[in-house]
Amino acid sequence: MTYLKSFVAATLTAATFAGAAHAGGHSQNIVEIAAADERFSTLVAAVTAAGLVETLSGEGPFTVFAPVNDAFAALPEGTVDTLLMEENKGDLTNILTYHVVSGKAMSTDLAAGSSLVGTVMADSNICITAGDGVTIADGTGTMANVVIADIEASNGVIHVIDKVLIPGTAPACM
């Protein structure tokens, strides 16, 4: 856990400097918003460990499905610490990029029903279903709920989710 706290502290500093160059006096970018909210400290540590701070602070636009700390805590014990190790950077990058879609997709852009959507992780899809709420099925069949939608950033939008999305086979999408 000390390892995680060190990453968070380093990320808060890195995000502040990286974001200032891109925000252009407007709203904060995706990384700045996440770094400023304690509910995303694990996500921010993971983004830093994967070397994605600069990318997600960039021009975009991106749609990020951002898991809260409790979503990471629900993974099997030791999973986060293992993923944060340098030798697992590729796996961590795959998981994180599986949470990102190119373009800015607001909740109002969703039609009722299900849609298979490609992520920035090569050859991977998630299934987004809109109805009474919005759910996302990952490659393992796990369903995540969007608990907060449409947090606008200068380089895209964040939708807060309650599970970590894991790549796998293409999700069933009806």
Side-chain angles (χ1 to χ4, degrees), residues 23-174:
H26 302 294
S27 66
Q28 296 175 310
N29 68 45
I30 289 167
V31 173
E32 290 175 307
I33 290 169
D37 189 329
E38 182 59 33
R39 294 175 295 179
F40 300 119
S41 62
T42 306
L43 176 61
V44 172
V47 166
T48 301
L52 295 172
V53 170
E54 186 175 329
T55 300
L56 291 175
S57 296
E59 187 175 321
F62 305 108
T63 296
V64 175
F65 298 101
V68 291
N69 294 340
D70 289 344
F72 284 99
L75 293 171
E77 187 174 337
T79 300
V80 174
D81 290 334
T82 299
L83 285 170
L84 290 174
M85 294 177 177
E86 180 64 31
E87 60 268 24
N88 298 319
K89 186 175 181 177
D91 292 336
L92 178 61
T93 299
N94 285 339
I95 289 170
L96 293 173
T97 57
Y98 193 62
H99 289 77
V100 181
V101 174
S102 291
K104 182 178 179 180
M106 303 298 287
S107 63
T108 54
D109 296 332
L110 293 175
S114 297
S115 302
L116 198 60
V117 177
T119 69
V120 298
M121 182 186 151
D123 300 319
S124 65
N125 297 302
I126 54 178
C127 179
I128 300 175
T129 303
D132 291 335
V134 177
T135 59
I136 303 164
D138 69 11
T140 68
T142 298
M143 299 295 288
N145 297 297
V146 173
V147 294
I148 301 172
D150 300 335
I151 300 172
E152 290 193 71
S154 62
N155 62 342
V157 62
I158 299 169
H159 301 291
V160 181
I161 57 175
D162 63 354
K163 302 273 191 251
V164 175
L165 303 173
I166 305 295
T169 59
C173 197
M174 300 179 207

